[in-house]
Amino acid sequence: MNTMNTADTTPSDEIELGPRLRYLRERAGLSQRALAKRVGVQNSTISLIESGRMNPSVGALKRVLDGIPIGLSEFFAFEPDLDRKVFFAAEELQEIGKGKLSLKQVGGNLLGRSLQILHETYGLNADTGAQKYEHDGEEGGVVVSGRIEISVGNERKILGAGDAYLFDSRKPHRFRQVGPVPCVIVSACTPPTF
């Protein structure tokens, strides 16, 4: 697979590339993996761009957009119909997790939003990965049921129903289900960088 060159600045410092790319990719009916395959990069590259952890060069962004397909000028001029729905039925929550980890997001399009809310369900032995991850923002949540081990930086704690957490998401962190029953959490992240 080819790798992409990155630059420190985006073509427009005022436009958040990640949420815009995610919106257009999903509108085109493409998974991150499918888009990555179309343009010859690793799917982690698309994930890094969408999460704001990688700012592609103009050439690299053009190559990714060609896979949707959409031109650079259309990409920057595009004004999506922002989802301003107020109420969501349980079946309308958008699944962004996989496997034993269900992450159901409130609202499908977070472009222009400053908050992400998730209904998280950790199946038995589910975790967010062996490696801790980090991203911009703050996150917090309340454990609804079950037990979860949360590691933030050098701190680690097992939380149960009614317990809560709040931390700077730039600190490396990891979530891991413990105990005999799945764990359910309602969480929020601001800005929506997860």
Side-chain angles (χ1 to χ4, degrees), residues 21-30 50 94 96 108-109:
L21 176 60
R22 179 183 304 149
Y23 179 85
L24 290 167
R25 174 184 57 77
E26 290 174 349
R27 189 180 78 161
L30 296 169
E50 289 186 358
Q94 182 178 349
I96 62 173
N109 175 17

Side-chain angles (χ1 to χ4, degrees), residues 112-187:
R113 298 270 189 184
S114 58
L115 177 68
Q116 178 181 39
I117 301 173
L118 296 174
H119 182 273
E120 306 177 27
T121 303
Y122 292 77
L124 298 180
N125 302 311
D127 65 34
T128 56
Q131 296 291 327
K132 293 179 183 176
Y133 62 99
E134 54 194 83
H135 51 93
D136 286 334
E138 290 184 305
E139 62 186 272
V142 177
V143 178
V144 176
S145 63
R147 293 167 58 83
I148 192 87
E149 177 187 74
I150 303 177
S151 300
V152 179
N154 294 324
E155 297 182 63
R156 185 175 62 183
K157 179 100 174 158
I158 294 176
L159 304 178
D163 294 336
Y165 60 91
L166 176 65
F167 61 88
D168 182 331
S169 303
R170 292 174 293 191
K171 292 182 178 179
H173 52 282
R174 177 184 183 214
F175 291 71
R176 185 175 69 88
Q177 184 277 340
V178 293
V181 297
C183 179
V184 176
I185 298 172
V186 174
S187 70

